[in-house]
Amino acid sequence: LAGCADDDCCFFDGTFIVPSDFLTIQEAVDFALPGETVLVQAGVYSPTTNGEFFPIFMKDGVNIEGEDPENTILDSQGGNYLLDLFNYDRGVILNLTLRGGNSFLGGAIYAESSSGILSNLYLIGNRAEEAGSAIYAVNSDGLTMNNLVVSGNASSISGSQIPAQVEADDSDLIFVNNVVADGDSDGVRINFGSAGVYENNIFYNNGFADFGVGLADTDEVTAARIQYNICFNNAEADFFLNGADQSAEQANDLPTDGLIFANFNAAPLFSDPFANLFTLQPGSPALNAGNPDPAFNNPDGSRNDIGAFGGPFAEPP
C-alpha cells in the first residue's frame, strides 16, 4: 500500500485510495475483496485524465465511495456506460457524479440481478438508445437508490426509442428521496411486472412536446408503492398509472389498496435547476413534507424533506 516502508509499519483498514494506491478505479476494484472499500479522491476520472476504462465492472461486496458527489466525477466522455453491476448484492456506491455515458441500455448504470445500494450520486447528461438513459435495472429486486440527482439524461442521437431516465424491467426497486428532472421522456418507467417503492421523490420538468410523465408504470394495474412524491411541470402528466395519464390527485384516488397516496403537484422551489442545483429554497413545499415515519427523518431529526437532500442518508450539498 502507498506510504508503507515495510510490512510491519502498515495498518490496513480495508480501504484503497484512488489515485494514490491505484491509478484507476477499475484497478482498485479488481484488487479489493468483498467488504473492502475503494475511496476515490476528488477529481475527474476519464479516459483522457487518468486512463479510466468504462464501464467499471463492479465486484460483489466491494464498495466505491467518492470524496463528495460534486467534485468526484466519473466521465465516460461519450464512450460507454460508466458502471456495470451484475450480481452486485452486498455493496454500496456513493458520493460520485456520473456523466458522459452512452449505451444501448443504461447510459450511466446497467444493473442486472443486483440488490446493492446507490446513494448520493449525481447522474447528469448521459444517453441511452433503448432504455434507461441514466439507469437501467433488470431482474434486480431490492436494488436501492436514495438521494440521487438524475438530471438531463436523454435518448441517444441515433436511437429509435425514447427511454426514461430510470427504467426497470422485472425489478422491484427501492427508490427513495431522489430528484428526477429535465429528461426528454418519462422520469421513471416501471416495465414488465416491476413494482417496488417510490417515495419522497421529486419528478420535475420531464418530457418534451407533450410526451413524458414523472413516473410511468406500463402494467395494466399498478402494484408499486407510490407515496409522498411531488410532481411539477412534466410534459404530459404527473403519472401514467393503470393504463392512463393521472394527475397526482387522481393517482391518490386510484383503487390500489393504499399503495398510492400523499402525492401532490407543486413547484418545489429549487435553488437553481438550470445549474443542476436541486437544493430547496426556504418556503419550498417539499420541506418536512415526506413520509412522517421517524425512520425517514432528516439527519437533524426533523420530518423528511422530499427530494435528494432529505431523509436519513442525506449528505449536505
Side-chain angles (χ1 to χ4, degrees):
L1 296 178
C4 290
D6 57 58
D7 290 341
D8 293 334
C9 82
C10 293
F11 174 75
F12 178 52
D13 62 358
T15 62
F16 301 97
I17 300 174
V18 178
S20 57
D21 293 332
F22 293 91
L23 180 61
T24 69
I25 300 167
Q26 184 70 74
E27 289 172 327
V29 169
D30 290 344
F31 193 85
L33 297 174
E36 295 178 340
T37 297
V38 176
L39 295 177
V40 185
Q41 295 178 324
V44 177
Y45 298 84
S46 71
T48 59
T49 56
N50 71 317
E52 193 70 61
F53 174 82
F54 294 107
I56 295 169
F57 292 94
M58 292 302 303
K59 185 190 298 182
D60 186 30
V62 174
N63 310 306
I64 293 182
E65 180 177 349
E67 189 169 326
D68 65 78
E70 295 90 349
N71 298 301
T72 313
I73 300 168
L74 279 59
D75 189 349
S76 182
Q77 299 177 322
N80 212 332
Y81 63 109
L82 291 111
L83 297 178
D84 186 288
L85 281 58
F86 180 72
N87 288 334
Y88 185 74
D89 297 320
R90 297 171 294 160
V92 179
I93 300 170
L94 72 160
N95 294 348
L96 302 168
T97 287
L98 307 178
R99 74 185 187 194
N102 194 358
S103 184
F104 187 73
L105 297 170
I109 298 174
Y110 175 89
E112 182 176 351
S113 302
S114 294
S115 58
I117 298 172
L118 308 175
S119 183
N120 288 292
L121 303 178
Y122 296 177
L123 300 98
I124 309 291
N126 302 284
R127 292 181 175 272
E129 183 173 336
E130 180 72 20
S133 55
I135 302 173
Y136 176 72
V138 59
N139 298 325
S140 291
D141 290 349
L143 181 63
T144 298
M145 307 177 192
N146 62 266
N147 302 100
L148 308 185
V149 170
V150 183
S151 177
N153 304 282
S155 56
S156 296
I157 296 173
S158 60
S160 60
Q161 304 297 318
I162 307 178
Q165 294 198 76
V166 178
E167 205 148 349
D169 285 343
D170 290 316
S171 299
D172 290 356
L173 305 181
I174 300 171
F175 194 83
V176 177
N177 273 111
N178 305 296
V179 168
V180 184
D182 298 323
D184 63 348
S185 178
D186 300 330
V188 172
R189 188 179 300 152
I190 312 169
N191 294 317
F192 306 119
S194 299
V197 177
Y198 298 84
E199 191 164 311
N200 305 328
N201 303 295
I202 300 176
F203 301 108
Y204 173 87
N205 199 38
N206 292 286
F208 177 76
D210 297 325
F211 175 80
V213 301
L215 181 148
D217 188 336
T218 61
D219 277 353
E220 291 184 7
V221 178
T222 300
R225 195 171 88 194
I226 303 169
Q227 303 171 0
Y228 298 99
N229 300 292
I230 294 178
C231 299
F232 186 72
N233 203 39
N234 298 292
E236 187 176 351
D238 294 333
F239 298 105
F240 180 85
L241 303 170
N242 288 16
D245 288 341
Q246 311 280 349
S247 69
E249 292 74 15
Q250 290 170 329
N252 294 337
D253 291 337
L254 290 173
T256 57
D257 295 325
L259 289 173
I260 302 176
F261 64 87
N263 303 288
F264 60 100
N265 184 293
L269 300 183
F270 291 127
S271 296
D272 187 355
F274 296 104
N276 287 319
L277 296 177
F278 293 103
T279 51
L280 303 173
Q281 298 182 48
S284 167
L287 292 168
N288 307 128
N291 191 321
D293 187 325
F296 293 91
N297 280 357
N298 300 316
D300 65 2
S302 61
R303 179 176 169 176
N304 181 282
D305 292 340
I306 298 174
F309 300 97
F313 305 109
E315 293 282 345

